[in-house]
Amino acid sequence: MNAAPMTLTIREAVPGDEALILQFIGELAAYEKLAHEVVASESDLSATLFADNPKVFALIAEADGAACGFALYFFNYSTFLGRHGLYLEDLYVTPEARGAGAGKALLARLAKIAQDHNCGRLEWSVLDWNAPAIAFYESLGAEAMSEWTVNRLTGSALDNLAAKDRAHGDAR
Amino acid sequence: MNAAPMTLTIREAVPGDEALILQFIGELAAYEKLAHEVVASESDLSATLFADNPKVFALIAEADGAACGFALYFFNYSTFLGRHGLYLEDLYVTPEARGAGAGKALLARLAKIAQDHNCGRLEWSVLDWNAPAIAFYESLGAEAMSEWTVNRLTGSALDNLAAKDRAHGDAR
């Protein structure tokens, strides 16, 4: 007999999901060959995802009731539209659950959340060697913003720049 | 006699700045050859920048008390760090004020705000043909995240994906 099709559900992350989300973050980082960059803790996730006025949010995908993936997102902004957009920071589905539609179900829920919040866009980033992901995103009708490059300032370069600021409102 | 050096100040945007910010957005879009994409209105800016719990923020640069530029930012997130970052969506200085340090003063204030909010990063995007901006950002020690490409889903592609979602918690 064939197995019955899986039942996929998408739910909001709730307090208590921190260990699960951290596990998924680690697995995604390993896939991206960036595992050495993960320093987040469960308490970091708790303090940000479940703050009083959170600025970051997560969804959990479940297959037959067992967690099989997650999406983490926040609201970005378009000055050209004068509206918020929704930015998908992380999307991950466990290897054993891939191909059953969990990734697309997470993205569909995000698109619905974007509409519910009057967002004009859903955006995310993809690594240029991640061909399966690129093909999947193209199939959804996503546009690659290839002429833009993200710049990142961190560590001592960020500290050095901050040191050039004076107290708010001071003459410079 | 030489002119006295300009006094640069950076302040938070306040209600009443909408027309000024919209003008700067238009001038920046024209420089980016994207003026046709600007549909934002003053009321859009008011409703988002000056909401009860805003998720987007702006700074105004003034040279001798006259507005000469702006920066618009929001909080993004790093799952690897488990911390928010600060994302600079727009940075603009009027042509006549360029070279006097207003752009760097805006960035320095942003770096300070990032530190004050325990952000591990300050990030922004640059167009690949904008050589003066790229050189300026390199001089600050910014790292170009060249292996990542932003994907954007909007319009009917976003609507189509949202239509694949069912009500929260439903079996799929």
Side-chain angles (χ1 to χ4, degrees):
Chain A
M1 286 174 61
N2 290 328
M6 281 196 304
T7 298
L8 279 172
T9 51
I10 307 295
R11 65 170 175 83
E12 293 178 16
V14 293
D17 283 327
E18 293 88 347
L20 174 70
I21 293 170
L22 194 58
Q23 176 193 322
F24 286 159
I25 290 170
E27 292 175 19
L28 176 58
Y31 177 75
E32 293 178 335
K33 303 169 189 172
L34 296 170
H36 56 286
E37 293 189 15
V38 178
V39 298
S41 68
E42 290 183 35
S43 63
D44 291 331
L45 295 178
S46 177
T48 48
L49 283 169
F50 309 121
D52 282 342
N53 278 305
K55 295 189 192 70
V56 61
F57 309 88
L59 300 173
I60 306 290
E62 295 179 338
D64 292 337
C68 66
F70 87 115
L72 186 139
Y73 64 98
F74 54 81
F75 291 90
N76 66 4
Y77 194 75
S78 165
T79 47
F80 292 1
L81 301 180
R83 291 158 70 184
H84 283 286
L86 201 149
Y87 188 89
L88 170 61
E89 177 66 24
D90 271 7
L91 178 69
Y92 178 73
V93 175
T94 58
E96 55 270 24
R98 281 175 207 161
K104 194 162 187 176
L106 284 163
L107 280 165
R109 177 61 51 86
L110 290 165
K112 178 66 165 53
I113 293 169
Q115 287 192 329
D116 290 347
H117 287 80
N118 188 35
C119 293
R121 300 167 173 170
L122 171 60
E123 294 174 308
W124 61 88
S125 294
V126 62
L127 279 162
D128 57 12
W129 53 257
N130 193 352
I134 291 168
F136 174 50
Y137 297 148
E138 282 179 353
S139 76
L140 300 175
E143 178 189 6
M145 309 298 290
S146 309
E147 73 279 29
W148 291 93
T149 300
V150 171
N151 275 234
R152 176 179 295 171
L153 201 68
T154 188
S156 59
L158 182 62
D159 294 340
N160 291 341
L161 185 60
K164 294 190 170 67
D165 183 58
R166 297 194 189 173
H168 178 80
D170 274 12
R172 300 179 61 88
Chain B
M1 287 174 59
N2 291 327
M6 282 196 304
T7 298
L8 279 171
T9 51
I10 306 295
R11 65 170 176 83
E12 291 179 18
V14 293
D17 284 328
E18 293 88 346
L20 174 70
I21 294 170
L22 194 57
Q23 176 193 323
F24 286 159
I25 289 170
E27 293 175 17
L28 176 59
Y31 178 76
E32 294 178 334
K33 304 170 187 173
L34 296 171
H36 55 285
E37 293 189 15
V38 178
V39 297
S41 67
E42 289 183 36
S43 63
D44 292 331
L45 295 179
S46 177
T48 48
L49 284 168
F50 308 121
D52 282 342
N53 278 306
K55 295 189 192 71
V56 60
F57 308 88
L59 301 174
I60 306 290
E62 295 179 337
D64 292 337
C68 67
F70 86 115
L72 186 139
Y73 65 98
F74 54 81
F75 290 90
N76 66 5
Y77 194 76
S78 165
T79 46
F80 291 1
L81 302 180
R83 291 158 70 184
H84 283 286
L86 201 148
Y87 188 89
L88 170 61
E89 177 66 24
D90 272 7
L91 178 70
Y92 178 73
V93 175
T94 59
E96 56 270 23
R98 281 176 206 161
K104 195 162 184 174
L106 284 163
L107 280 165
R109 177 62 51 87
L110 289 165
K112 178 67 165 51
I113 293 169
Q115 287 191 330
D116 290 347
H117 287 81
N118 188 34
C119 293
R121 300 167 172 172
L122 171 60
E123 295 175 308
W124 62 87
S125 294
V126 63
L127 279 162
D128 56 13
W129 52 258
N130 193 352
I134 292 169
F136 173 51
Y137 297 148
E138 281 179 354
S139 77
L140 300 174
E143 177 188 5
M145 309 297 289
S146 309
E147 74 279 29
W148 290 93
T149 300
V150 172
N151 276 233
R152 175 180 296 172
L153 201 68
T154 188
S156 59
L158 182 62
D159 294 340
N160 291 341
L161 185 59
K164 293 190 170 68
D165 183 58
R166 298 194 188 173
H168 179 80
D170 275 11
R172 299 180 62 89

